[in-house]
Amino acid sequence: MNELQVLPEPARGPQLWWGLLFLVLVLSGLVYGAYSINAWLDDEQQLPVRDIRVSGDLKYLVKADVEQAIRGNQPGSFFELDIQRALKDIEALPWVYRASIRKEWPNNLHVHVVEQQAAASWNGDMLLNTQGGTFSAVSPEGVTLPKLFGPEGSEQTALQGYRAMQALLLRSGVQVEELVLSERFAWNLRLNNGLRLNLGRDEFIDRLQRFVDIYPLLQKDQRQPEYVDLRYDTGLAVGWKSTDVQKPG
């Protein structure tokens, strides 16, 4: 009769310790690798923002100002760059209406800028864009902008009124040089020939049409008109420039 021989189990102590040692080494390697990669990414000398490409139809904005707005406020690495902060810094620049930023691998940026389009000066110290919004910038050289004045919050009203009046005056060969909208929303104009128009508050377009109709007659008069008061239901009043010449005493 054959007897079964039971073999003793091999000792597991050394294998277990070797396995635990291997696991510790693997985990330590992963932790060290993650730390090294994070430190490398944080080091701007390892991966700085190399090139900033600026696109858009730019007339007044200097591309170097866009780059300075990014590099001057965020000197960190490409991966640490805060896009929202950079976007805010760029849109704070004069002549920037809207901007967008896109990261391009490996360490470049593409900035697209929509520039402000100035439609008029506003209250002597601001500019109005074509949407009726104000922005602070130096009026461009060689460009003559109409001067608009009005109470705070009336920017779009003043700009829309200016456009309607300018369109009406085109066939008369004159332009609005200055428009004043009073606190009571009364309209006053100064044309590019120096003539001043007082339109009042109500039906100012109809009153301006009345001026357009009689303007050819004013041009034929030998006297020079100084102002035209149109705050009447049907008529108007004309103030003439003085032609008196003082004689030497």
Side-chain angles (χ1 to χ4, degrees):
M1 182 176 182
N2 296 330
E3 294 182 359
L4 295 176
Q5 185 178 3
V6 179
L7 298 177
E9 294 183 0
R12 295 185 178 181
Q15 293 181 357
L16 179 62
W17 284 109
W18 280 109
L20 290 174
L21 179 61
F22 177 76
L23 179 61
V24 169
L25 290 175
V26 171
L27 293 176
S28 299
L30 291 175
V31 171
Y32 177 77
Y35 174 80
S36 300
I37 292 175
N38 185 65
W40 179 77
L41 293 178
D42 285 340
D43 187 358
E44 62 176 300
Q45 298 302 321
Q46 294 288 346
L47 198 64
V49 175
R50 184 182 63 184
D51 182 54
I52 300 176
R53 182 165 60 93
V54 181
S55 64
D57 184 14
L58 306 182
K59 294 181 180 179
Y60 309 112
L61 183 67
V62 179
K63 293 182 179 180
D65 291 341
V66 177
E67 184 170 349
Q68 178 59 31
I70 298 175
R71 296 189 187 275
N73 297 328
Q74 295 195 75
S77 69
F78 174 78
F79 288 96
E80 291 294 321
L81 181 74
D82 187 337
I83 290 293
Q84 293 303 317
R85 180 183 172 185
L87 189 62
K88 183 178 179 180
D89 292 335
I90 293 172
E91 291 185 340
L93 292 172
W95 291 107
V96 175
Y97 175 64
R98 188 172 58 248
S100 62
I101 304 176
R102 185 175 70 249
K103 288 184 175 182
E104 295 181 342
W105 185 260
N107 57 343
N108 300 326
L109 292 179
H110 177 203
V111 180
H112 183 76
V113 176
V114 178
E115 203 173 61
Q116 294 275 17
Q117 297 182 30
S121 70
W122 178 249
N123 286 339
D125 58 356
M126 300 286 286
L127 296 179
L128 279 182
N129 61 25
T130 53
Q131 289 77 33
T134 59
F135 65 101
S136 179
V138 178
S139 183
E141 294 183 4
V143 178
T144 302
L145 295 174
K147 300 175 183 178
L148 307 187
F149 297 86
E152 184 178 357
S154 65
E155 294 87 351
Q156 292 192 4
T157 300
L159 182 60
Q160 292 171 2
Y162 161 76
R163 287 172 172 166
M165 296 178 193
Q166 184 58 49
L168 189 57
L169 290 169
L170 277 179
R171 53 180 168 174
S172 298
V174 291
Q175 297 180 354
V176 177
E177 187 173 274
E178 181 178 291
L179 180 150
V180 178
L181 186 60
S182 73
E183 294 287 342
R184 299 182 67 251
F185 282 77
W187 300 85
N188 292 273
L189 307 181
R190 189 181 76 234
L191 306 182
N192 60 339
N193 59 4
L195 184 60
R196 291 183 288 113
L197 306 181
N198 190 341
L199 301 175
R201 296 178 55 188
D202 303 321
E203 301 178 347
F204 59 91
I205 292 296
D206 292 339
R207 293 174 178 178
L208 186 61
Q209 179 64 59
R210 193 185 311 158
F211 165 77
V212 171
D213 294 338
I214 64 99
Y215 185 61
L217 298 177
L218 295 179
Q219 289 179 301
K220 293 178 181 180
D221 199 294
Q222 294 182 351
R223 296 168 297 176
Q224 289 186 332
E226 184 175 8
Y227 69 87
V228 179
D229 191 344
L230 296 141
R231 294 174 297 170
Y232 301 92
D233 292 336
T234 56
L236 52 87
V238 179
W240 304 96
K241 291 184 179 180
S242 176
T243 56
D244 294 339
V245 178
Q246 288 186 343
K247 297 181 180 180

